[in-house]
């Protein structure tokens, strides 16, 4: 309930991690319904919600107070590789088994980064869909849900409930 969604860029308030998870999952429900209504998507909404639930699993452990009211990265979770490894260890610890399609999405939900290749597709459709949802929350609605009066029916900040 107190974990931040990020240090500065999106949902950076106490409870923002949970707010970000709820936002990406709500965005997924809306986008899935619209896109699947136009052309059948090759994955289920359930697959997308699972990946989105797991995609920032390290956040409650990623930040610590820096002494001046702000937050900093913990020593062990400073880079993307360490964060991905942490998430992978957590899902293994709890016996969560992902299909190959889900593993691809789990790996690339935050983009292809260094794995990008103009010679071939790296992200599968599930990964691309989850990435769209994450980007919408973190870069379009980075300050949502609003503390009060959010336009999305039912949207409230986790730490104010």
């Amino acid at each position: 309930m107190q974990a931040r969604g990020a240090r500065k860029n999106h949902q950076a308030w106490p409870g923002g991690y949970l707010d970000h998870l709820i936002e990406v999952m709500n965005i997924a429900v809306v986008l899935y319904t619209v896109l699947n209504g136009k052309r059948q998507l090759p994955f289920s909404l359930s697959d997308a919600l699972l990946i989105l639930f797991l995609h920032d699993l390290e956040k409650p452990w990623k930040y610590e107070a820096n002494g001046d009211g702000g937050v900093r990265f913990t020593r062990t979770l400073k880079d993307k590789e360490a964060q991905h490894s942490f998430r992978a260890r957590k899902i293994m610890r709890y016996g969560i088994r992902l299909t190959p399609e889900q593993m691809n999405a789990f790996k690339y939900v935050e983009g292809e980064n260094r794995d990008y290749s103009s010679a071939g597709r790296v992200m599968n459709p599930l990964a691309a869909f989850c990435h769209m949802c994450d980007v919408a929350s973190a870069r379009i609605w980075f300050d949502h849900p609003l503390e009060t009066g959010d336009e999305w029916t039912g949207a409230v900040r986790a730490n104010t409930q």
Side-chain angles (χ1 to χ4, degrees), residues 1-22:
M1 292 297 289
Q2 291 301 311
R4 296 170 180 266
R7 283 189 324 148
K8 296 179 183 176
N9 287 336
H10 67 86
Q11 291 89 15
W13 53 84
Y17 164 67
L18 184 54
D19 291 332
H20 176 63
L21 284 184
I22 292 167

Side-chain angles (χ1 to χ4, degrees), residues 27-95:
I27 290 166
V29 169
V30 170
L31 287 180
Y32 189 90
T33 301
V34 172
L35 295 177
N36 200 51
K38 297 294 181 187
R39 294 188 185 117
Q40 187 172 0
L41 293 170
F43 52 86
S44 70
L45 176 58
S46 176
D47 287 334
L49 293 175
L50 173 63
I51 298 306
L52 291 168
F53 179 75
L54 298 172
H55 89 282
D56 276 340
L57 192 58
E58 82 286 355
K59 293 283 176 96
W61 294 271
K62 185 175 175 178
Y63 305 112
E64 61 189 6
N66 67 5
D68 67 1
V71 294
R72 65 177 172 236
F73 291 114
T74 59
R75 280 191 327 252
T76 57
L77 294 171
K78 283 186 177 181
D79 60 59
K80 291 287 184 190
E81 290 80 19
Q83 293 161 23
H84 181 75
S85 293
F86 181 91
R87 290 189 298 266
R89 286 192 309 274
K90 282 288 185 196
I91 68 168
M92 283 177 41
R93 177 179 176 197
Y94 290 103

